[in-house]
Amino acid sequence: MSDKPKIGISIGDVNGIGLEIIIKTLADPKIYEYCTPIVYGHTKVASFHRRSTDIGELNFNVINHPSQVVIKRANMINCWEEDVRIEPGQVTADGGKYAYISLQRATDDLLNGDIDGLVTAPINKDNIQNEEFNFPGHTEYLQHRDSKPESLMFLVSDTLRVGVVTGHIPISKVSESITTEKIVEKLKLMNASLHDDFWIRKPKIAVLGLNPHASDNGLIGNEEKDTIIPAIEEARNNDVLAFGPYPADGFFANGTYLQFDAVLAMYHDQGLIPFKQIAFESGVNYTAGLSFVRTSPDHGTAYDIAGKNLASEISFREALFTALHIIRHRKETAELNENPLIFTKLSRDRD
């Protein structure tokens, strides 16, 4: 039996680009040197999408449980028996139904310890809604399944890491949702992830303001003075090296982000727009603060190019390798925490 991590892959919306980027990623034989992938879907659906690519052959080894994997092969768990109507580029009820079945089965195996990590292909946050999935997105669903009070949507790349205080909520509710306690909690999650998952010994975190110009000393709102600055001060009292608040526009425009290990934005678009502008193809969405490792590409279903062999697999491949790096780092951190002197030396070497 191989000691390479077993990585579960949920297929996302069957009418989007999920299976196309999965197939293109798994067509690279080098993948199997680092992990054993398990796709949660159905071989018939995969065959449909393979025919729309220029991939010659990618034969899945069909299994019923992760314990049956064949190493150096792409493994598939058929999560349903019925035929599925596939309509590339269309938003359909079936697209959401089978995306959820794939995600639920993969998450079950993840929580049972049968797989070592999960990479999720893009879902449509609307058509996936049902009685069991009543969440704004993957992040909130997985946090619920893991019974965690908080998690952190953490966008990561080689040059930039961005987390958000508030995630998938209406912009009209952002201000009322930001509290000192919530910012401190997100900073602690980010700091712990940078240390344990990315092996940064003393992370430096920049905190963005909420208002234009970070309020200009209260001229444009009070959130900075009343909420954000006290959170930064409390975080620093808890050994988190947090700085700010910084005006978001100039912070990214003049490259100040390069001076920090990560950035905490106040809301979704404040952080994700610059992140995707700077690191779109190489960016990865990581859910920090959970007991397991989950990553995804930093893009959506891309219905407009589904079925046209135009989708790039770069972000999905980066998501897969990011999951593998974090799994390894977590394992090493757990082992080395038993000997702090060795951990300090090794983490200093990696700084």
Side-chain angles (χ1 to χ4, degrees):
M1 179 64 67
S2 171
D3 61 352
K4 293 181 175 63
K6 296 176 184 176
I7 301 298
I9 299 173
S10 61
I11 63 173
D13 193 312
V14 297
N15 295 321
I17 64 169
L19 270 163
E20 179 181 336
I21 58 177
I22 291 168
I23 289 167
K24 288 179 175 179
T25 299
L26 299 185
D28 182 354
K30 293 182 179 179
I31 294 295
Y32 307 98
E33 297 177 13
Y34 304 99
C35 70
T36 300
I38 306 170
V39 180
Y40 290 77
H42 199 284
T43 49
K44 289 184 179 179
V45 178
S47 295
F48 178 95
H49 284 278
R50 183 184 58 77
R51 288 194 293 271
S52 68
T53 72
D54 54 5
I55 303 299
E57 289 292 333
L58 179 63
N59 296 317
F60 286 93
N61 174 60
V62 179
I63 59 176
N64 296 314
H65 187 270
S67 62
Q68 301 170 332
V69 294
V70 173
I71 62 172
K72 298 186 178 179
R73 289 283 303 276
N75 297 271
M76 172 79 75
I77 291 179
N78 285 334
C79 298
W80 56 83
E81 294 301 326
E82 66 272 19
D83 290 334
V84 177
R85 184 178 181 182
I86 304 171
E87 302 175 74
Q90 300 301 308
V91 180
T92 68
D94 277 354
K97 174 183 177 180
Y98 293 100
Y100 175 69
I101 292 173
S102 169
L103 176 63
Q104 180 190 42
R105 179 70 181 275
T107 306
D108 288 346
D109 285 350
L110 186 64
L111 290 170
N112 288 333
D114 296 320
I115 56 178
D116 299 299
L118 173 63
V119 183
T120 59
I123 59 173
N124 179 317
K125 295 177 178 62
D126 182 27
N127 70 2
I128 197 174
Q129 299 296 319
N130 58 49
E131 291 183 358
E132 297 174 322
F133 190 103
N134 185 21
F135 302 93
H138 276 118
T139 302
E140 295 82 2
Y141 170 76
L142 293 168
Q143 177 185 321
H144 169 75
R145 290 294 308 273
D146 200 29
S147 300
K148 296 292 186 182
E150 282 286 354
S151 65
L152 176 71
M153 183 188 297
F154 205 8
L155 282 294
V156 300
S157 73
D158 289 340
T159 57
L160 177 61
R161 302 181 188 92
V162 176
V164 293
V165 176
T166 59
H168 299 114
I169 64 172
I171 194 72
S172 60
K173 295 184 178 180
V174 167
S175 180
E176 66 188 58
S177 300
I178 294 174
T179 65
T180 296
E181 294 74 21
K182 192 174 187 69
I183 295 172
V184 171
E185 182 61 31
K186 297 294 185 179
L187 284 169
K188 288 180 178 178
L189 287 173
M190 180 178 283
N191 188 69
S193 179
L194 290 168
H195 186 269
D196 296 342
D197 300 334
F198 296 93
W199 274 43
I200 300 173
R201 189 163 60 95
K202 292 183 178 180
K204 291 175 57 182
I205 301 172
V207 181
L208 301 182
L210 173 65
N211 297 294
H213 309 292
S215 84
D216 269 344
N217 294 319
L219 293 175
I220 316 173
N222 297 315
E223 287 86 354
E224 283 73 14
K225 176 173 62 72
D226 295 341
T227 304
I228 301 175
I229 291 174
I232 293 172
E233 292 172 349
E234 182 176 340
R236 291 179 69 89
N237 289 335
N238 284 275
D239 297 322
V240 177
L241 297 180
F243 303 86
Y246 294 95
D249 53 355
F251 180 84
F252 289 106
N254 62 24
T256 305
Y257 67 90
L258 294 170
Q259 301 173 21
F260 295 91
D261 297 299
V263 182
L264 184 66
M266 290 298 111
Y267 58 94
H268 184 279
D269 283 11
Q270 185 188 51
L272 269 67
I273 289 175
F275 181 86
K276 292 188 176 185
Q277 180 67 29
I278 293 167
F280 181 68
E281 280 207 330
S282 62
V284 172
N285 183 358
Y286 169 50
T287 308
L290 301 182
S291 65
F292 50 76
V293 175
R294 173 263 171 168
T295 62
S296 74
D298 72 341
H299 57 72
T301 54
Y303 289 127
D304 57 321
I305 60 171
K308 299 178 182 179
N309 195 26
L310 297 175
S312 169
E313 73 277 17
I314 293 175
S315 182
F316 188 88
R317 186 173 63 238
E318 288 294 323
L320 176 58
F321 279 110
T322 297
L324 292 172
H325 289 315
I326 294 172
I327 289 168
R328 187 184 76 246
H329 286 168
R330 284 192 176 190
K331 181 180 179 181
E332 292 175 347
T333 297
E335 293 172 350
L336 293 171
N337 275 342
E338 298 178 4
N339 191 331
L341 293 178
I342 294 177
F343 179 82
T344 301
K345 180 183 184 301
L346 290 178
S347 57
R348 185 186 300 119
D349 292 342
R350 294 185 181 203
D351 285 350

